[in-house]
Amino acid sequence: MGFTPKEKCKKCAMFYDTGNFCAHLTPEELENLSNESRTATLKRGESFEGEALEHWPIVAISSGVLSLQHLLEDGRKSIATFFMRGDVIDLRRAGQRNRGSLIALSKAEVCRLSVDAFETIADTNHSAQHVIWDNLREQSFLSNDHAADLATKQALEKLASFLFECRYRGSTDLPKQVISIPIRRCDMAEYMGMQPETISRGFRQLEEMGILHMQDLKTVVLENEPALRRIANGARDISHITADPKAKIKILSFG
Amino acid sequence: MGFTPKEKCKKCAMFYDTGNFCAHLTPEELENLSNESRTATLKRGESFEGEALEHWPIVAISSGVLSLQHLLEDGRKSIATFFMRGDVIDLRRAGQRNRGSLIALSKAEVCRLSVDAFETIADTNHSAQHVIWDNLREQSFLSNDHAADLATKQALEKLASFLFECRYRGSTDLPKQVISIPIRRCDMAEYMGMQPETISRGFRQLEEMGILHMQDLKTVVLENEPALRRIANGARDISHITADPKAKIKILSFG
DNA sequence: CGGCAAGTTGAGCCAGGTCAACTCCGGTGG
DNA sequence: CCACCGGAGTTGACCTGGCTCAACTTGCCG
């Protein structure tokens, strides 16, 4: 924290990614916000909870993945939603009704924003206000989509939807048929209300269908995107996709 | 629509309920917003979709229940979230990625707000801005809670959570142990990702356990709220609540 | 390169989905 | 006022997708 605001902020995606909140601030606003705020680096598993969260309820993500987790009495856990670079998490008033805790799913760099400075900006800087507003609305849409997925879809369909969500939210500098999965299998399971075993079986099935290929645990290469889309959309008659004979020869794909 | 703005608005919960958006406007703001906006009365099943929604993406609810529904290719339907009196639904940019359609679940009175007038107010009236901001954040929390419920909970637990959600969101002028269910069984099913049959069985089970009593299809009388709470929170060892005494010996599980 | 957590695979089982028959209730018309 | 109708809700019997448990393999980090 020995940096001047400028240094500390210039390294942060919230500032240098056009379209993110801090990029829309005037130098004075940025300086003020920066002085009043606290950066932090989280390791997987570290969390903001309780009092710390009440005092710093607004968190901007520069890199990594954070999750909002709910815990049941008997230990069942679920990831209600996750946040990535550029998201501004605003949990003001969330404490009142046990809205879960904020837990890092990977190494993450965040900035805990000063509520006062943030409010001042929201009241005066219309362009920044719109960025934050759009982000919050987008989060809300994503949560709704996710709820709808959880409510109706079967395992394979949820998996397919999740892959599209990863592509939609992930960085755009990947080839179009490559999807990077930012979280672990067990986190995917908790996010989608499934077991890790089911996730694993699902990926295998999609590979056997020739729809995709796992380069490694975090990297999916799409081989038949329309088919995956149809599965995600809940088309039930996907039997004709199965057992594509040439799917067996796909060991080539490493070449 | 032959009313002056004042008449039209004075009847509306968005205006006369303290804490709602329109109650925070200056007379001029209200007049301008009112003139540019359109009230409507919806019957169950009626919807805002497509172009109508793109042109009027902001809807304030005066009474009744609206839902955001998603449809899968094979006809499966789900209710991602629902909105009630006082909610301001802001679906700007939702059209881009098929975020579902807005469908009334009951007779509903709404006001489609002018985007321009709304924006102007959001930019200048801080108090109104905070109301709307809080409402959106609350919607987001509710969606997250709901997603977490769908992900981990079993049928009975989801049902219990839903009842608490109804009480939390419903009007406060009911006796504390009475919960009014604002939607139908089949809508509950679509909201919670279950079948109507399962909902029905769940209610029966809760009645048999002596936890609640259905006065009629829309009215629940709580008889053992702590037990319902425990179920909603996912306590698995609820067998001791059951009527039949032989269930008591389950304490074994603690070793 | 050893140790451990993460992920995968297989076998069996159960909560809740599915299907079909039935009841209940509100509205409508004679 | 009642008989009728259709949709909503309920009940029962059966079936299956995905959970569970346990054994195994893989991959990561020091």
Side-chain angles (χ1 to χ4, degrees):
Chain A
M1 215 140 301
F3 301 108
T4 74
K6 264 183 194 151
E7 288 309 314
K8 160 174 142 187
C9 292
K10 269 183 177 158
K11 294 176 170 180
C12 176
M14 289 302 298
F15 174 70
Y16 66 70
D17 272 14
T18 333
N20 280 350
F21 181 65
C22 298
H24 286 253
L25 306 183
T26 66
E28 305 84 61
E29 284 170 341
L30 185 63
E31 170 134 9
N32 183 39
L33 181 63
S34 179
N35 288 336
E36 304 294 322
S37 303
R38 300 285 175 269
T39 58
T41 303
L42 298 174
K43 288 199 291 281
R44 173 179 169 86
E46 290 184 327
S47 68
F48 293 131
E49 267 173 291
E51 215 168 296
L53 198 54
E54 252 163 67
H55 212 79
W56 299 94
I58 308 181
V59 180
I61 304 191
S62 176
S63 73
V65 183
L66 265 63
S67 66
L68 190 68
Q69 300 195 189
H70 287 230
L71 195 63
L72 297 191
E73 273 189 25
D74 69 347
R76 273 173 289 166
K77 217 170 23 170
S78 75
I79 292 179
T81 185
F82 62 89
F83 303 97
M84 295 169 65
R85 149 193 287 220
D87 284 332
V88 176
I89 310 167
D90 183 344
L91 292 177
R92 278 178 288 175
R93 320 234 170 135
Q96 290 168 207
R97 223 172 79 93
N98 180 31
R99 252 75 189 255
S101 17
L102 201 55
I103 303 184
L105 295 183
S106 68
K107 185 168 178 295
E109 291 167 298
V110 305
C111 187
R112 292 183 290 169
L113 303 183
S114 149
V115 171
D116 290 344
F118 181 80
E119 284 262 301
T120 309
I121 293 168
D123 281 349
T124 52
N125 182 331
H126 295 171
S127 129
Q129 183 198 306
H130 279 88
V131 169
I132 210 77
W133 190 279
D134 283 350
N135 185 254
L136 179 53
R137 227 167 49 236
E138 177 67 20
Q139 287 177 28
S140 189
F141 291 153
L142 284 171
S143 293
N144 288 335
D145 292 348
H146 182 221
D149 288 352
L150 289 173
T152 35
K153 290 182 182 173
Q154 304 182 255
L156 207 61
E157 296 163 351
K158 286 195 263 190
L159 197 49
S161 307
F162 177 74
L163 290 176
F164 284 114
E165 182 179 353
C166 286
R167 183 162 72 174
Y168 176 69
R169 299 180 67 175
S171 78
T172 47
D173 48 273
L174 286 168
K176 210 174 155 267
Q177 66 277 22
V178 175
I179 298 175
S180 162
I181 301 176
I183 61 177
R184 294 191 183 175
R185 292 285 181 278
C186 57
D187 298 327
M188 291 177 58
E190 280 170 16
Y191 179 59
M192 296 193 282
M194 303 160 51
Q195 290 330 104
E197 292 94 323
T198 311
I199 306 270
S200 177
R201 286 185 246 269
F203 275 123
R204 183 154 60 101
Q205 199 180 335
L206 291 173
E207 283 198 289
E208 277 166 5
M209 287 162 125
I211 288 177
L212 55 77
H213 163 70
M214 302 292 315
Q215 209 165 81
D216 58 62
L217 279 178
K218 327 227 95 173
T219 319
V220 170
V221 183
L222 289 186
E223 279 160 3
N224 187 346
E225 181 178 336
L228 192 66
R229 181 108 261 165
R230 251 173 293 137
I231 293 177
N233 286 348
R236 279 281 178 73
D237 56 341
I238 50 169
S239 33
H240 60 281
I241 303 171
T242 325
D244 179 6
K246 64 177 189 280
K248 286 178 186 162
I249 322 174
K250 78 178 166 12
I251 313 139
L252 302 165
S253 31
F254 248 105
Chain B
M1 218 137 308
F3 300 108
T4 73
K6 264 183 197 154
E7 288 309 314
K8 160 174 141 188
C9 292
K10 269 184 179 158
K11 296 177 170 181
C12 175
M14 289 302 299
F15 174 70
Y16 67 69
D17 273 13
T18 332
N20 280 348
F21 181 67
C22 297
H24 286 253
L25 306 183
T26 65
E28 305 83 63
E29 284 171 341
L30 185 64
E31 168 134 9
N32 183 40
L33 181 63
S34 180
N35 287 336
E36 303 294 322
S37 302
R38 300 283 175 271
T39 58
T41 302
L42 298 174
K43 287 199 291 279
R44 174 179 167 86
E46 290 184 329
S47 68
F48 292 130
E49 269 171 290
E51 215 168 299
L53 199 53
E54 252 163 68
H55 213 79
W56 299 94
I58 307 180
V59 181
I61 305 192
S62 175
S63 73
V65 183
L66 264 63
S67 66
L68 190 67
Q69 301 194 189
H70 287 230
L71 195 62
L72 297 191
E73 273 189 24
D74 68 348
R76 273 172 290 167
K77 219 171 20 172
S78 74
I79 292 178
T81 186
F82 61 90
F83 304 97
M84 296 171 66
R85 150 196 284 219
D87 284 332
V88 176
I89 309 167
D90 183 344
L91 293 177
R92 280 178 285 176
R93 320 235 169 133
Q96 289 167 208
R97 223 171 79 94
N98 179 33
R99 251 77 189 253
S101 17
L102 201 55
I103 303 184
L105 295 183
S106 68
K107 185 167 180 293
E109 291 168 298
V110 303
C111 188
R112 292 183 290 170
L113 303 183
S114 150
V115 171
D116 290 344
F118 181 80
E119 284 261 303
T120 309
I121 293 168
D123 282 349
T124 53
N125 183 330
H126 295 172
S127 130
Q129 183 199 305
H130 280 90
V131 169
I132 209 77
W133 191 283
D134 284 350
N135 185 253
L136 178 54
R137 225 167 50 235
E138 178 65 22
Q139 287 177 27
S140 188
F141 291 153
L142 284 170
S143 293
N144 288 335
D145 292 348
H146 182 222
D149 288 352
L150 289 173
T152 34
K153 291 182 181 172
Q154 305 182 249
L156 207 61
E157 295 163 351
K158 286 196 263 189
L159 196 49
S161 307
F162 177 75
L163 290 176
F164 285 114
E165 181 179 354
C166 286
R167 183 162 71 173
Y168 177 69
R169 299 179 68 175
S171 78
T172 47
D173 48 273
L174 285 170
K176 209 175 157 265
Q177 66 276 22
V178 175
I179 299 175
S180 162
I181 301 176
I183 61 176
R184 294 190 184 177
R185 291 284 180 278
C186 57
D187 298 327
M188 290 177 58
E190 278 169 16
Y191 179 59
M192 297 194 280
M194 303 160 50
Q195 288 331 102
E197 291 94 325
T198 311
I199 305 271
S200 178
R201 286 186 247 269
F203 274 123
R204 184 154 59 101
Q205 199 179 336
L206 291 173
E207 284 198 291
E208 279 166 6
M209 289 164 123
I211 288 176
L212 53 78
H213 163 69
M214 301 291 317
Q215 208 164 81
D216 58 61
L217 279 178
K218 326 228 95 173
T219 318
V220 171
V221 183
L222 290 187
E223 280 159 3
N224 187 346
E225 181 179 336
L228 192 67
R229 181 106 263 165
R230 250 172 292 137
I231 293 177
N233 286 347
R236 277 284 178 74
D237 55 342
I238 51 170
S239 34
H240 61 280
I241 303 170
T242 324
D244 63 313
K246 59 179 186 281
K248 281 180 187 159
I249 320 174
K250 211 208 158 200
I251 313 149
L252 300 165
S253 37
F254 270 98

